[in-house]
């Protein structure tokens, strides 16, 4: 799956579907149900390449970067991959002390 991040709002992100993406793949990648995705996007149709859509509440935790923390140490501490970290942080892995970052819901 190669979805393009377009924008982030408080409790949703806006994405652009790429060739081969499906609601099922998106649902699995962001740990939400396919029905929730379709309802949030007011559709019953299949996801199409180039289509913009929203994914609700993809994170549940906020973390404030502490001195000596690195991307690797944060991912290890919270049991997430660097890819998952970047997905919920607008593709960014740039960190500095005091920065607020989001962590994906692993429950």
């Amino acid at each position: 799956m190669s979805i393009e991040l377009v924008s982030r709002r408080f409790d949703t992100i806006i994405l652009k579907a790429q060739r081969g993406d499906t609601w099922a793949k998106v649902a699995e990648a962001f740990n939400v149900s396919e029905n929730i995705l379709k309802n949030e996007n007011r559709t019953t149709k299949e996801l199409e390449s180039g289509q913009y859509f929203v994914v609700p509440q993809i994170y549940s935790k906020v973390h404030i970067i502490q001195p000596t923390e690195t991307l690797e140490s944060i991912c290890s501490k919270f049991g997430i991959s660097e890819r998952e970290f970047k997905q919920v942080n607008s593709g960014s892995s740039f960190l500095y002390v005091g920065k607020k970052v989001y962590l994906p819901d692993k429950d």
Side-chain angles (χ1 to χ4, degrees), residues 3-104:
I3 292 173
E4 175 186 341
L5 176 66
V6 176
S7 178
R8 171 182 299 287
R9 295 186 310 208
F10 292 107
D11 61 349
T12 62
I13 58 170
I14 300 170
L15 301 168
K16 183 178 180 182
Q18 305 297 306
R19 191 167 165 228
D21 290 335
T22 65
W23 289 119
K25 288 180 183 178
V26 174
E28 183 178 340
F30 290 100
N31 196 29
V32 296
S33 78
E34 204 171 326
N35 286 337
I36 288 173
L37 287 173
K38 287 181 178 180
N39 286 339
E40 288 290 319
N41 289 280
R42 296 180 176 94
T43 189
T44 57
K45 298 180 181 178
E46 292 303 314
L47 190 57
E48 296 178 12
S49 179
Q51 178 179 343
Y52 291 91
F53 63 97
V54 298
V55 176
Q57 299 182 5
I58 61 166
Y59 56 84
S60 66
K61 299 175 194 153
V62 175
H63 177 72
I64 307 298
I65 303 300
Q66 302 299 310
T68 73
E69 285 187 318
T70 64
L71 178 60
E72 185 177 294
S73 69
I74 292 167
C75 291
S76 176
K77 178 179 180 177
F78 293 101
I80 59 174
S81 70
E82 289 185 19
R83 180 174 176 249
E84 289 171 314
F85 179 92
K86 289 178 183 178
Q87 282 180 327
V88 296
N89 288 285
S90 301
S92 176
S93 60
F94 177 71
L95 304 177
Y96 54 87
V97 173
K99 180 178 182 179
K100 180 177 18 174
V101 296
Y102 301 100
L103 303 171

